[in-house]
Amino acid sequence: MTGTRAVTATAEPEPEPARRSRRWTWPLLSAPVAWLVFVALHRVLSGRVWWWQVPELAPPLVFAVLPVLLLAVALPARRARGWIAAVTLASLVLGASLSGLNPAALWHRPPPAPPGAITVFSWNTLYWDMVTGGETAPPPTGTPARDIDDLYRYLHEQKADVYLLQEYVYFGQDSKAIRVDDLARLRREFPGYHIAVASELVTVSRFPIVLEQGLDLRPWVSERRDAILPPDPGLPDFSAVKTLRTDIRVEGENGNGGKTVSFYNTHINSPLHAFPKGMDPRRLNRTQHERRQANLRAIAADVAKNPNPAVLSGDFNASPAMGILRLLPDRLVDATPVLGSLYPTSWDDRWPLWRIDWTFTTPDVTVHRYGMVWSEGLSDHSGQHLVISTSG
């Protein structure tokens, strides 16, 4: 009788390249998945909860650049390349509007400015002519970091009909606001112009100002009002008024007729408190978030009941990645498409990575030209230079 012997088949060993590919597949996939989850959370939480303000501080461009880098790094993962590409593409699409990119610059061509168009210059002056950097002290107790003549020279170079200027204020070493009184110089520099001042905001107009009103934030703060908007002895309305509305009677074509346009000069609170300086964790708090919300709600309420053509411009302390901008009224139109830059920035003016200065208009206002103007070292913000007209 002939016996049979079982033959056991042995599998060929997996090639080393395949083993390496399988070993790195999940780590390479986990990074794009984690980023997709972060972007989704950002869209839900940004502007709604105060403790998400730290992730908001990242340069907006990261929402466009990081998915591309993740995809490039993941290319060796052959087995999951399709999944990685799909997840990365999803995060790119979800974060596209947060990136600060302005693709409209490639095709948007605004109409030419008509006769009688209005030139507007909006700028955060960086505490007027105050000492900046290190210990801060207002003139005349310290030596100004820049000559006030340079500031006025810069303003004259803009050749604007309407100036919307922020941080018309000094700060003492105790971080208290101190009122600036430079009205006599402003009137000498801009003879025949009309001037309105509220809190740290000053609007200078070649056209008559028929109404000036600081928007009071107190009705928009229901709880802890004194903690959120504390009075400041040196400038009592500093916390409570962060937007100055001026209704300006502008001339019609050839100086005939005319209409009233509302200009909202605004400076929204920063996500981080200005004091104490540096990396102190006390700079991040719920109070700052509530102040920012109150600012935007006050603007939205006033614009909603204002029948005039309107321009809202200033330092919003909000990048394109910050969801708090959703509190702006739907009636306002973002002027960004008129900018000629694919990635417009305004801060920090020395190494600009963020855009936190904005202009919005009602649909009956046309923006013909719009550009960011380097501050020549006078401020950490670029200025916003616009040419606009109204219709209707």
Side-chain angles (χ1 to χ4, degrees):
M1 184 176 180
T2 305
T4 59
R5 183 167 55 183
V7 178
T8 304
T10 58
E12 293 185 5
E14 186 179 25
E16 182 61 23
R19 281 203 304 272
R20 283 201 304 267
S21 175
R22 184 161 48 83
R23 187 165 58 245
W24 285 103
T25 294
W26 291 111
L28 289 174
L29 179 59
S30 64
V33 169
W35 178 247
L36 177 60
V37 171
F38 172 83
V39 175
L41 287 173
H42 186 88
R43 295 200 70 97
V44 172
L45 299 176
S46 178
R48 292 190 173 97
V49 294
W50 70 268
W51 43 266
W52 195 258
Q53 290 177 125
V54 171
E56 290 181 323
L57 299 178
L61 195 58
V62 72
F63 287 93
V65 172
L66 190 57
V68 176
L69 293 178
L70 288 172
L71 183 60
V73 171
L75 287 178
R78 301 175 183 176
R79 294 172 179 265
R81 190 177 296 167
W83 281 102
I84 293 173
V87 171
T88 304
L89 181 61
S91 67
L92 186 61
V93 171
L94 193 60
S97 62
L98 309 174
S99 68
L101 293 176
N102 179 34
L106 298 174
W107 63 78
H108 185 77
R109 297 295 178 267
I118 305 163
T119 301
V120 181
F121 185 66
S122 176
W123 183 44
N124 183 321
T125 65
L126 188 60
Y127 308 138
W128 212 241
D129 61 334
M130 176 182 149
V131 172
T132 56
E135 292 296 321
T136 60
T141 59
T143 303
R146 59 185 183 270
D147 194 310
I148 188 66
D149 293 339
D150 290 333
L151 183 144
Y152 281 107
R153 172 192 55 77
Y154 179 74
L155 292 177
H156 283 301
E157 287 174 352
Q158 311 314 318
K159 296 180 172 58
D161 299 309
V162 179
Y163 293 86
L164 307 175
L165 306 176
Q166 304 95 48
E167 290 194 4
Y168 180 64
V169 64
Y170 300 143
F171 274 96
Q173 292 182 351
D174 57 358
S175 78
K176 298 297 183 182
I178 301 173
R179 187 184 301 277
V180 174
D181 185 5
D182 207 23
L183 290 180
R185 177 72 183 263
L186 276 166
R187 292 189 177 102
R188 290 198 307 271
E189 295 285 345
F190 296 96
Y193 277 63
H194 306 262
I195 302 172
V197 178
S199 182
E200 48 137 325
L201 308 160
V202 57
T203 296
V204 182
S205 170
R206 184 171 68 85
F207 306 108
I209 296 175
V210 297
L211 179 146
E212 57 182 275
Q213 173 188 349
L215 302 190
D216 192 343
L217 303 184
R218 284 169 291 193
W220 303 98
V221 179
S222 57
E223 298 178 356
R224 302 187 309 118
R225 181 174 294 174
D226 290 341
I228 297 173
L229 305 174
D232 195 315
L235 189 56
D237 56 353
F238 178 71
S239 295
V241 174
K242 306 301 285 184
T243 300
L244 168 60
R245 170 184 168 180
T246 50
D247 289 2
I248 295 176
R249 189 69 180 173
V250 301
E251 297 173 354
E253 187 172 345
N254 299 320
N256 299 319
K259 64 185 65 177
T260 299
V261 180
S262 296
F263 288 86
Y264 292 85
N265 178 3
T266 193
H267 185 191
I268 307 301
N269 296 81
S270 167
L272 301 180
H273 199 279
F275 300 97
K277 294 290 187 180
M279 301 296 291
D280 194 304
R282 289 174 295 175
R283 297 185 64 193
L284 176 67
N285 54 66
R286 192 182 76 180
T287 298
Q288 285 296 104
H289 178 67
E290 292 174 348
R291 287 171 180 164
R292 286 157 63 77
Q293 288 184 323
N295 278 311
L296 290 168
R297 285 170 177 154
I299 293 170
D302 198 86
V303 170
K305 62 185 181 183
N306 184 357
N308 298 328
V311 177
L312 168 64
S313 185
D315 175 7
F316 284 72
N317 273 306
S319 77
M322 294 184 179
I324 197 138
L325 291 175
R326 70 171 65 92
L327 294 178
L328 286 168
D330 293 337
R331 182 185 171 207
L332 293 180
V333 179
D334 185 3
T336 298
V338 185
L339 285 168
S341 171
L342 282 172
Y343 184 66
T345 59
S346 66
W347 186 89
D348 184 314
D349 205 29
R350 295 159 296 186
W351 300 98
L353 287 175
W354 290 263
R355 193 274 183 92
I356 61 176
D357 299 86
W358 299 81
T359 294
F360 300 88
T361 69
T362 49
D364 47 3
V365 174
T366 300
V367 180
H368 302 279
R369 292 197 293 275
Y370 183 15
M372 297 293 180
V373 183
W374 180 52
S375 74
E376 302 178 12
L378 295 172
S379 173
D380 55 349
H381 288 255
S382 296
Q384 301 180 80
H385 194 277
L386 304 103
V387 176
I388 65 169
S389 66
T390 61
S391 60

